[in-house]
Amino acid sequence: MQGDSEVNGTNGHHLPVLTMDTVNPRVREMQYAVRGPIVVRATEIEKELKNGTKKPFTKVMKANIGDCHATGQSPNTFLRQVIALCSYPPLLESSEFPKDAKSRARRILGGCRGGSVGSYSASAGVDPIREDIANYISKRDGIPSKAEDVILCTGASDGIKTILSMLMTGKDGKERAGIMIPVPQYPLYSATLTEYNAFQIRYYLNEENNWSLDLDELKRALNSCRGECVPRAICVINPGNPTGQVLTKENIQDVIRFASDNHLMILADEVYQHNIYAKGSAFFSFKKVLTEMGPLYNKVELASFMSASKGYLGECGFRGGYFEVINMLPDVKACLLKSISAKLCPPILGQAVMSVVSNFPTLDEPSGALYAKEKEEVLAGLARKARMVTDLFNSIEGIKCNEVQGAMYSFPRIFLPDKAVEEAKRRGQTPDSFYCFQLLEETGICTVPGSGFGEKEGTYHLRMTILPPEGEIKDVLGLFKEFHTKFIKKYQ
Amino acid sequence: MQGDSEVNGTNGHHLPVLTMDTVNPRVREMQYAVRGPIVVRATEIEKELKNGTKKPFTKVMKANIGDCHATGQSPNTFLRQVIALCSYPPLLESSEFPKDAKSRARRILGGCRGGSVGSYSASAGVDPIREDIANYISKRDGIPSKAEDVILCTGASDGIKTILSMLMTGKDGKERAGIMIPVPQYPLYSATLTEYNAFQIRYYLNEENNWSLDLDELKRALNSCRGECVPRAICVINPGNPTGQVLTKENIQDVIRFASDNHLMILADEVYQHNIYAKGSAFFSFKKVLTEMGPLYNKVELASFMSASKGYLGECGFRGGYFEVINMLPDVKACLLKSISAKLCPPILGQAVMSVVSNFPTLDEPSGALYAKEKEEVLAGLARKARMVTDLFNSIEGIKCNEVQGAMYSFPRIFLPDKAVEEAKRRGQTPDSFYCFQLLEETGICTVPGSGFGEKEGTYHLRMTILPPEGEIKDVLGLFKEFHTKFIKKYQ
C-alpha cells in the first residue's frame, strides 16, 4: 500500500495528510486582502473590546468591505416584502402587504417548480427572473437583450470565476492562459487567477489622470508577456474598485478596439453601474458601446457582471448576481451551461433580489413612490459621502485622493516618510500594511492596504469604503487626520 | 501584438476566442449526469406539451433529481416563518407569528452585522448559527462539537469542492492527487475531480451484498493506482447516493482503519443522515465512530458534510449546508478559512435553514408539535415510498432493485437484451442511456442512466428518486412496468 502503516494508526502516531507543505500550493499562495490579516485582527479587537480591554477607542469601524447593511443602511422595504411573501406564501392573503409586492412574489413563485423557493431552479436561473433582467438591460441600453443570454449566479464573484474557468487552457508553462487585469484591482481576480494557475497580465491604471485606462499601457502590458502565456481576455472594472473612477465612452471604445485587435474576450465587471456620483460622469455598458460601434466590433465576446450586493439595495447576504454573455458560440455556451450544472443553482432568494432590482415598482404602482424615495436616499447619501471623503482626505498633508466618481470606495495615496518604510521592512510588512495596522490599533478604523489590490512600485495607498453613516464619517475622518499627523511626525 | 489584427476587427471577420477547441478542456470533459442531456430533453418535452404537441402522456415526471418541493412536498411551516421574520423584521411585531419562531429569528438577526440578513457574514458563517449546529452535532453523537470546527457553505457541493481543492497537489502526471470515490457515486465527485485534473481512484460497491463497502475492494482499488497518483483521501457517501444503502458501524470502522493505515483523509458525505427508512438500519456518523475507536484512530482528518436540501426540510433552493472538520492542523485550517474568504460568505438565509434544522422547536414550545408532525409526515411518507418503489421494481421481470434503506433514490439494475445493447451502440448511446431516453419519450418519466454514476462493466442501471407523491408513484411505476415489458419484447 502507499501509506506507511507503521506510522499511521498501528502504533499510535498519526501524520496528518494536510500540512502546510502538502496542502494545495495554489490555495496556500492565494491572497484575498479584503478579508486578509488586518480584518482578522479587527475581529479580534472587537472581541477584546467586548471583554472590557481598554483601547483608545470604543468601536471598530469596518471600512474594509462594501457591506452596506453592516454599516447602517436599511433594507429596501418593497424588496424585503417580496422576499417575505416568497418565503412564506400564507402572507399573500395578508392585507398588510401591498398589491404590487404580492404580484412580484406571485410572478417569482410561478417560475419556481412546485411553486416553492425551496426547489432548485435551472442552473441558469428562474425563467421569469431571467426575463425581468433581460428587460432591465434592454431598457438600460436601448438595445434588445435576450433572457437566454442572462445567467444567474451566486453573487458576481461566482459568475466571474465561471467565465475565467472557461478561459483556462488547462496547460502549464508557456501555454498558460493569460488574463489582463487592472492594477489596482479587486483581489477576487488575482485570487482566482492564482487558484487557476493562470498568468496575470497586469495593466496599470493612471493615478495621475484620475485612474484612467490608457491604451498605450494596455499595449505595453500585453507586449511584456509575450512568450509567457496565451492572452485570452481582458477584465475591466467600471465603475472602478478600489479606484472609484467612471470610464468615459471613448475610453470604453479604446478597450473594445484593443480587445478585438488582440483576440481577447472582455469581462466587464459592472456591479457598480447604479453607483455613479460625480457630476459629468455617466455609466455606459460595454454591451451598449460595442453594439453601437457596429460591424467591426460588435462580435467581440463579452460577459458583463452585475450583483445584488451593491447598487442601492446592498443585499450582500443574499448572494445574488447575474451575467449577460453575448457573442459566445452556441456550443461553447452549452458547455458553459454544463459547467455550472454541477453547482445545481444559485440561491432562489438571491435571484429574487435581482428580479426586484430589474422589475421595481413604477410610480403608478402602490409601492412606487416609497421605492423611489428609498433608492434616492441611499444614492444621494453615497454621493454626499463620496464628496466628503475625497475632500477630507485631500485636506490632510501627505495624502492625495482622486475624486470618488462612483462605486463605494476611496483609494487615497499615502506619502510615507522613509523611516516608516524602513520600520515596515523591519517588521516584515509592506509599508501600507504597517500604516493600516497602526491605524487600526490606534483608532479602530479598519481599512485595506493598497498592496492588497496592487499598486505602482514605491506608492502606498489604502482602500476605505464611503459607507459609514454620515454622522460618523466626519468623526472617522477626524480620527484619521489626527492619527496621520502623529504617524508622520513620529517617522519624519 | 499577439492577436491577428487582419482577422479580428479590421476587416470585419471575427474569430471567437472561445471555441470547442480552445475552451478549457477540463470544463469540456466534465460531465454531471443528474442535469445531463436527458434532463435537457425532458425540459424540451415539457415545452412541447405546453405548446400542444400530442404525446402518449400529459406530464413529465422529473424523477431525476432529489428536488423535494418540486415534486410536491410542502415547506415546513416553522422554518418558513423564521425565514419570513428574518427577511422582513417588521413582522416581529405581528401577532400572527408564534413566539418561538420570533425568538429564533431574533437570535439569527442578532448574529448578523447591522441586524440584517443583507450583510455579509464571516466566511465560515454567522456565529450563533455555527453554535446551533455544533449543539446539534454534540447531541447527535454524544460527543462535544466546537462551533469553530463548523463551517457553513453554499449547499454541501460547495463544501465538498472546497475540501477537495485543499487536497490537490497542484501537479500533473504521477504527482496528481488521487481521491478514492465509490462507484456508483454522486457525479459531483467525478465532475469536480475532472475539473481539478485529479486522479479518480474508483472503488466498487458490492451490488450483490446490498451495495456494501468491502475492505478488499478498497485495497484492490488503492493498489491498482500505484505510480499513477498520490492518494490523498477517501470519499464515502452514507446513506448512499445513488445506491440508498446505510452503512453499518462495523463497515464504517473498516473504512476508518483503512484510511488511517493508508494515510488518507476522510470525506464523509452525510447529507442524508435524517433519511433512514429500513428496519434495523441506523445512522452512525464517521465522527462518532472514529472518536469511539480511540487513540489509534481518533486523529484521522475528517470532513463531514450536511445540507439544507435533503433531510425532511428539502430546502434545495436556499443553498444551505455546512461541514465539520476535525483533526486538521491549525495552520492548515487557517489556510482553509483563507481559501473560502474570496467567496465572501454563504447565503445568510441558507445558513438560517441550517440553524432551524439544528435548533428546532421542542415539544414544550408553541411550534414544537406542528414541527414534529410535519417532520414525521415527510419521513414516514418517504419510508413508505422507499418500500413501495423497491417492491414494485422487484415485481418486474428483468429488473432487480436492492432495498432503499435510506437517502432518496432507487438504483435498480436493468437486464437488457443483447439486441437493445446493439441498438444503443448503433445510436452512439450507452445501453442505459438508450433505455432511459426511450422511457422518457414514451412515458414522460425522467430518470438518470446508471452510466452517469458509474457502474460495473456490463451492468445497466438507472436512478429514480422516491419523491413523487404517493398517489402518483403507483401510476408512475405502472407506466414503467408497461414500458419495460414492451421494450424487452421489442429487443428480445
Side-chain angles (χ1 to χ4, degrees):
Chain A
M1 303 271 67
Q2 294 269 351
D4 181 349
S5 63
E6 294 194 16
V7 185
N8 289 295
T10 48
N11 70 349
H13 293 289
H14 182 83
L15 278 185
V17 174
L18 285 176
T19 67
M20 289 312 280
D21 290 329
T22 65
V23 76
N24 182 348
R26 295 179 198 167
V27 172
R28 189 177 58 221
E29 283 153 28
M30 184 272 262
Q31 297 298 337
Y32 180 70
V34 174
R35 293 193 162 203
I38 197 161
V39 187
V40 175
R41 177 65 193 134
T43 306
E44 278 171 20
I45 293 178
E46 276 180 335
K47 283 183 185 152
E48 290 170 17
L49 283 173
K50 232 184 206 166
N51 297 336
T53 312
K54 284 263 175 286
K55 301 267 174 192
F57 50 88
T58 56
K59 185 181 158 186
V60 171
M61 173 56 72
K62 284 203 175 159
N64 57 296
I65 191 168
D67 191 353
C68 311
H69 294 198
T71 30
Q73 182 181 320
S74 296
N76 179 285
T77 305
F78 178 78
L79 167 72
R80 291 301 192 89
Q81 287 173 333
V82 173
I83 298 291
L85 289 161
C86 287
S87 306
Y88 191 56
L91 291 174
L92 286 164
E93 306 308 317
S94 159
S95 57
E96 303 290 308
F97 285 79
K99 236 171 56 181
D100 46 358
K102 289 181 185 174
S103 73
R104 294 307 190 286
R106 284 202 183 92
R107 175 172 166 77
I108 293 166
L109 291 171
C112 295
R113 294 187 188 133
S116 168
V117 294
S119 55
Y120 292 120
S121 71
S123 300
V126 174
D127 280 339
I129 296 180
R130 296 172 81 188
E131 288 160 20
D132 287 343
I133 295 169
N135 286 338
Y136 158 75
I137 298 172
S138 302
K139 271 187 231 157
R140 180 195 69 191
D141 292 339
I143 292 162
S145 165
K146 286 177 289 186
E148 68 198 60
D149 292 338
V150 171
I151 296 173
L152 277 294
C153 45
T154 306
S157 309
D158 172 46
I160 291 166
K161 291 187 78 168
T162 296
I163 295 292
L164 286 175
S165 172
M166 301 281 290
L167 288 158
M168 294 301 105
T169 45
K171 295 260 171 67
D172 288 338
K174 285 184 189 178
E175 292 174 72
R176 279 165 85 188
I179 306 289
M180 298 189 76
I181 55 171
V183 177
Q185 50 101 34
Y186 176 56
L188 169 73
Y189 293 94
S190 50
T192 303
L193 296 178
T194 301
E195 184 188 336
Y196 291 176
N197 196 31
F199 189 92
Q200 300 176 23
I201 309 171
R202 297 184 185 130
Y203 65 90
Y204 286 79
L205 301 175
N206 184 355
E207 182 164 17
E208 276 65 48
N209 189 24
N210 209 36
W211 299 114
S212 66
L213 202 171
D214 299 345
L215 193 54
D216 285 345
E217 171 57 15
L218 293 181
K219 290 179 183 165
R220 182 207 61 77
L222 193 59
N223 260 324
S224 74
C225 73
R226 278 183 183 227
E228 301 211 58
C229 64
V230 183
R232 301 272 272 168
I234 178 168
C235 302
V236 181
I237 311 174
N238 178 45
N241 176 5
T243 38
Q245 83 285 17
V246 178
L247 296 185
T248 62
K249 194 189 255 192
E250 293 66 35
N251 216 169
I252 294 171
Q253 289 169 339
D254 286 344
V255 175
I256 293 166
R257 266 183 227 111
F258 176 82
S260 176
D261 290 349
N262 293 287
H263 200 223
L264 299 171
M265 179 169 178
I266 298 174
L267 277 70
D269 181 337
E270 302 180 323
V271 301
Y272 295 101
Q273 59 191 260
H274 294 147
N275 299 94
I276 310 281
Y277 316 119
K279 281 205 178 108
S281 290
F283 173 73
F284 297 97
S285 74
F286 269 80
K287 184 188 181 194
K288 181 182 171 73
V289 177
L290 77 75
T291 306
E292 291 178 350
M293 282 170 80
L296 289 184
Y297 301 104
N298 63 7
K299 293 291 171 223
V300 173
E301 291 145 284
L302 168 72
S304 158
F305 303 90
M306 182 55 172
S307 169
S309 307
K310 310 302 170 187
Y312 51 89
L313 294 179
E315 291 283 8
C316 308
F318 280 82
R319 314 307 298 120
Y322 76 79
F323 56 96
E324 183 188 26
V325 61
I326 62 168
N327 295 328
M328 187 175 265
L329 290 178
D331 49 0
V332 175
K333 192 150 163 228
C335 185
L336 164 65
L337 290 173
K338 183 194 71 175
S339 83
I340 59 173
S341 67
K343 286 189 282 193
L344 299 164
C345 70
I348 307 297
L349 294 177
Q351 296 187 44
V353 177
M354 294 316 308
S355 169
V356 168
V357 73
S358 301
N359 180 21
F360 52 83
T362 53
L363 287 175
D364 53 4
E365 291 184 283
S367 306
L370 179 63
Y371 188 91
K373 178 170 164 279
E374 290 182 355
K375 170 182 172 179
E376 176 53 25
E377 274 173 9
V378 171
L379 291 178
L382 286 170
R384 283 193 301 272
K385 291 189 277 190
R387 190 72 256 157
M388 203 188 293
V389 169
T390 311
D391 290 347
L392 264 152
F393 273 131
N394 285 324
S395 78
I396 304 176
E397 216 188 302
I399 294 185
K400 199 174 164 302
C401 186
N402 276 323
E403 185 179 12
V404 180
Q405 298 175 324
M408 295 179 170
Y409 315 99
S410 60
F411 197 66
R413 180 167 175 188
I414 317 283
F415 293 84
L416 295 175
D418 291 346
K419 273 193 191 156
V421 174
E422 282 157 29
E423 177 62 19
K425 278 187 189 145
R426 213 182 55 74
R427 298 181 182 216
Q429 292 180 305
T430 64
D432 42 21
S433 280
F434 171 56
Y435 182 91
C436 291
F437 266 103
Q438 296 299 309
L439 175 69
L440 171 66
E441 297 289 347
E442 292 187 25
T443 65
I445 305 170
C446 179
T447 58
V448 187
S451 47
F453 305 89
E455 55 201 346
K456 221 172 164 177
E457 183 75 28
T459 69
Y460 309 112
H461 301 80
L462 57 82
R463 187 183 86 163
M464 192 181 97
T465 72
I466 59 166
L467 297 176
E470 283 179 79
E472 292 178 33
I473 213 163
K474 268 202 181 144
D475 297 343
V476 166
L477 288 162
L479 278 173
F480 197 112
K481 191 168 189 166
E482 204 179 300
F483 163 80
H484 182 80
T485 311
K486 263 171 60 186
F487 183 92
I488 296 294
K489 212 169 162 185
K490 186 167 172 187
Y491 292 101
Q492 201 96 51
Chain B
M1 302 269 67
Q2 296 269 348
D4 181 348
S5 63
E6 292 191 17
V7 185
N8 290 292
T10 50
N11 71 347
H13 293 289
H14 184 82
L15 279 185
V17 174
L18 284 176
T19 68
M20 289 312 278
D21 290 329
T22 64
V23 76
N24 183 347
R26 295 179 197 165
V27 172
R28 188 177 58 221
E29 283 152 30
M30 184 272 263
Q31 296 299 338
Y32 180 69
V34 174
R35 294 194 164 203
I38 197 161
V39 187
V40 174
R41 176 68 192 132
T43 306
E44 277 171 19
I45 293 179
E46 276 180 333
K47 282 182 187 155
E48 291 170 17
L49 284 171
K50 233 185 206 166
N51 298 335
T53 312
K54 284 262 175 285
K55 303 266 174 194
F57 50 89
T58 56
K59 184 182 159 186
V60 172
M61 173 58 72
K62 283 202 177 162
N64 57 297
I65 190 166
D67 191 354
C68 312
H69 294 199
T71 31
Q73 182 180 321
S74 297
N76 179 284
T77 305
F78 179 78
L79 167 71
R80 291 303 192 89
Q81 288 172 333
V82 173
I83 298 291
L85 290 161
C86 286
S87 306
Y88 191 56
L91 292 173
L92 287 164
E93 306 309 318
S94 159
S95 57
E96 304 290 309
F97 286 78
K99 235 172 55 181
D100 45 359
K102 289 182 186 173
S103 74
R104 296 303 192 287
R106 284 204 183 90
R107 176 172 165 76
I108 293 166
L109 291 171
C112 295
R113 295 189 188 131
S116 168
V117 295
S119 54
Y120 293 120
S121 72
S123 300
V126 175
D127 280 338
I129 296 179
R130 296 172 80 187
E131 288 160 19
D132 287 343
I133 295 169
N135 286 339
Y136 158 76
I137 298 172
S138 302
K139 271 187 232 158
R140 180 194 71 190
D141 293 339
I143 291 162
S145 165
K146 285 176 289 184
E148 67 198 59
D149 291 338
V150 172
I151 296 173
L152 278 295
C153 45
T154 306
S157 309
D158 171 48
I160 292 166
K161 291 188 76 168
T162 296
I163 295 292
L164 286 175
S165 171
M166 300 282 291
L167 287 158
M168 294 301 105
T169 45
K171 295 258 171 67
D172 289 336
K174 285 184 189 179
E175 292 174 73
R176 277 166 86 191
I179 306 289
M180 300 191 73
I181 55 171
V183 176
Q185 50 102 35
Y186 175 56
L188 170 73
Y189 292 95
S190 50
T192 303
L193 296 178
T194 301
E195 184 188 336
Y196 291 176
N197 195 31
F199 189 93
Q200 300 177 22
I201 309 171
R202 297 183 186 131
Y203 65 90
Y204 286 81
L205 301 175
N206 185 355
E207 182 163 19
E208 277 65 48
N209 190 25
N210 210 35
W211 300 114
S212 67
L213 200 170
D214 298 347
L215 194 53
D216 286 345
E217 170 57 15
L218 293 182
K219 288 179 183 164
R220 182 207 60 75
L222 193 58
N223 261 323
S224 74
C225 74
R226 276 182 185 229
E228 301 211 58
C229 64
V230 183
R232 301 272 272 167
I234 178 168
C235 302
V236 182
I237 311 175
N238 179 46
N241 176 4
T243 40
Q245 84 285 17
V246 178
L247 297 184
T248 62
K249 194 190 257 192
E250 293 68 33
N251 217 169
I252 294 170
Q253 288 169 340
D254 286 345
V255 175
I256 293 166
R257 267 184 225 108
F258 176 83
S260 176
D261 290 350
N262 293 287
H263 201 222
L264 299 171
M265 180 170 178
I266 299 175
L267 276 69
D269 181 337
E270 303 182 323
V271 301
Y272 296 101
Q273 59 191 262
H274 294 147
N275 299 93
I276 311 280
Y277 316 121
K279 279 200 181 116
S281 289
F283 172 74
F284 297 98
S285 74
F286 270 80
K287 184 188 181 193
K288 181 182 173 73
V289 177
L290 78 76
T291 306
E292 289 176 354
M293 284 169 79
L296 289 184
Y297 301 104
N298 63 8
K299 293 289 171 219
V300 173
E301 290 144 283
L302 168 72
S304 159
F305 303 90
M306 181 56 172
S307 171
S309 307
K310 311 301 168 184
Y312 51 90
L313 295 180
E315 292 283 8
C316 308
F318 280 82
R319 316 305 300 118
Y322 75 78
F323 55 98
E324 183 188 27
V325 60
I326 62 170
N327 295 328
M328 188 176 264
L329 291 179
D331 48 0
V332 176
K333 192 151 161 229
C335 186
L336 165 64
L337 291 173
K338 182 193 70 175
S339 83
I340 58 174
S341 67
K343 287 189 281 194
L344 298 163
C345 70
I348 306 297
L349 293 177
Q351 297 187 43
V353 177
M354 295 316 307
S355 169
V356 168
V357 75
S358 303
N359 180 22
F360 52 83
T362 54
L363 288 174
D364 54 4
E365 291 184 284
S367 307
L370 179 64
Y371 188 92
K373 180 171 163 280
E374 290 182 355
K375 170 182 172 177
E376 176 54 23
E377 274 173 10
V378 172
L379 291 178
L382 286 171
R384 282 194 301 273
K385 291 188 278 189
R387 190 70 258 156
M388 200 187 294
V389 169
T390 311
D391 289 348
L392 265 152
F393 273 131
N394 285 324
S395 78
I396 305 177
E397 217 189 299
I399 294 186
K400 199 174 165 299
C401 186
N402 276 323
E403 184 180 13
V404 180
Q405 299 175 322
M408 295 179 170
Y409 316 98
S410 60
F411 196 66
R413 178 167 175 187
I414 317 283
F415 294 84
L416 294 176
D418 291 346
K419 272 194 193 154
V421 175
E422 281 156 29
E423 176 62 18
K425 276 187 191 146
R426 213 182 54 74
R427 298 184 183 214
Q429 292 182 306
T430 65
D432 42 20
S433 279
F434 171 57
Y435 182 90
C436 291
F437 266 102
Q438 296 299 310
L439 176 68
L440 172 66
E441 297 289 347
E442 292 187 25
T443 65
I445 305 171
C446 179
T447 57
V448 187
S451 48
F453 305 90
E455 56 201 344
K456 223 173 163 177
E457 184 75 30
T459 68
Y460 309 112
H461 301 79
L462 57 80
R463 187 183 86 163
M464 193 180 96
T465 71
I466 58 166
L467 296 177
E470 282 180 78
E472 294 178 32
I473 212 162
K474 268 200 181 144
D475 298 341
V476 166
L477 288 163
L479 278 174
F480 197 111
K481 194 169 188 164
E482 202 178 302
F483 163 79
H484 182 79
T485 312
K486 263 171 57 187
F487 182 92
I488 296 294
K489 211 168 164 186
K490 183 165 175 190
Y491 292 102
Q492 202 96 54

